[in-house]
Amino acid sequence: EADIYQTPRYLVIGTGKKITLECSQTMGHDKMYWYQQDPGMELHLIHYSYGVNSTEKGDLSSESTVSRIRTEHFPLTLESARPSHTSQYLCASRGQGYEQYFGPGTRLTVT
Amino acid sequence: DAKTTQPPSMDCAEGRAANLPCNHSTISGNEYVYWYRQIHSQGPQYIIHGLKNNETNEMASLIITEDRKSSTLILPHATLRDTAVYYCIVGSTGANSKLTFGKGITLSVRP
């Protein structure tokens, strides 16, 4: 079983608030990813990292930012949340093998 | 990365084999075929991958045609818990490779 965690699992927050979605893994994986998924729609890669101090933007433009100061943590931040940010955010990691391990996701609702 | 084409949905009876097709006619020589599934908006779960030989694990079998332009994921004895969206993805295995999820195919297993 993969050890990748996301908190919070659910978040309802007002417009304009700053939020940070946490993602951590205990497998020592170098590569980590953030995906955004609207209900019933496909996953879109919004950020990824190949290791400490490495961050890249994904295929879908996002107003969020990420950081990778430690191998095990890859938090995602929204400086000013808006209703258009309402979505599910999924974190994943990958080691030397072929498999990406996904966390349970954070369902974000901005009112 | 090469793109894949999957039917939007299919169903099968519980206990029967589920054969999920995928077309990837533009696959290049170093690209693998990966299958993931997502149960009710949970984080996607890796199922299996292959390059050109057929592969089998405890979850499923992957049959890749000789020209590698299409493949079939086989769940030998589908259960109700196999109801999910199944994603066929083509990509390389390089250290900096990324997965691009499409719409997938929704498999409904009926009692």
Side-chain angles (χ1 to χ4, degrees), chain A residues 30-31 33 48-52 54 56 68, chain B residues 95-98:
Chain A
D30 288 328
K31 300 173 254 314
Y33 312 84
Y48 59 98
S49 166
Y50 293 140
V52 171
S54 150
E56 302 286 344
R68 190 88 183 277
Chain B
N96 296 344
S97 63
K98 298 171 286 179

Side-chain angles (χ1 to χ4, degrees), chain A residues 37 41-43, chain B residues 4 6 85 87-89 100-105:
Chain A
Q37 184 178 34
M41 305 298 287
E42 54 205 271
L43 287 82
Chain B
T4 63
Q6 300 176 258
V85 178
Y87 300 98
C88 171
I89 303 164
T100 299
F101 286 78
K103 298 186 189 312
I105 177 172

Side-chain angles (χ1 to χ4, degrees), chain B:
Chain B
D1 289 340
K3 291 189 175 180
T4 63
T5 303
Q6 300 176 258
S9 64
M10 66 176 292
D11 63 15
C12 75
E14 190 176 18
R16 304 298 294 270
N19 299 310
L20 287 69
C22 180
N23 287 322
H24 32 80
S25 58
T26 60
I27 191 171
S28 61
N30 67 340
E31 288 182 317
Y32 282 68
V33 180
Y34 299 88
W35 283 83
Y36 282 74
R37 74 179 182 184
Q38 187 175 28
I39 297 173
H40 193 56
S41 295
Q42 297 176 17
Q45 176 192 22
Y46 165 85
I47 301 173
I48 199 168
H49 75 279
L51 182 63
K52 54 183 178 181
N53 297 322
N54 298 337
E55 302 287 346
T56 296
N57 63 20
E58 65 278 5
M59 290 183 68
S61 295
L62 175 61
I63 308 298
I64 302 174
T65 59
E66 191 169 344
D67 64 7
R68 304 212 318 126
K69 292 184 177 181
S70 65
S71 60
T72 301
L73 179 75
I74 301 173
L75 308 179
H77 305 286
T79 70
L80 299 179
R81 289 175 293 180
D82 291 323
T83 292
V85 178
Y86 287 77
Y87 300 98
C88 171
I89 303 164
V90 170
S92 66
T93 59
N96 296 344
S97 63
K98 298 171 286 179
L99 297 179
T100 299
F101 286 78
K103 298 186 189 312
I105 177 172
T106 299
L107 173 67
S108 300
V109 180
R110 60 181 187 274

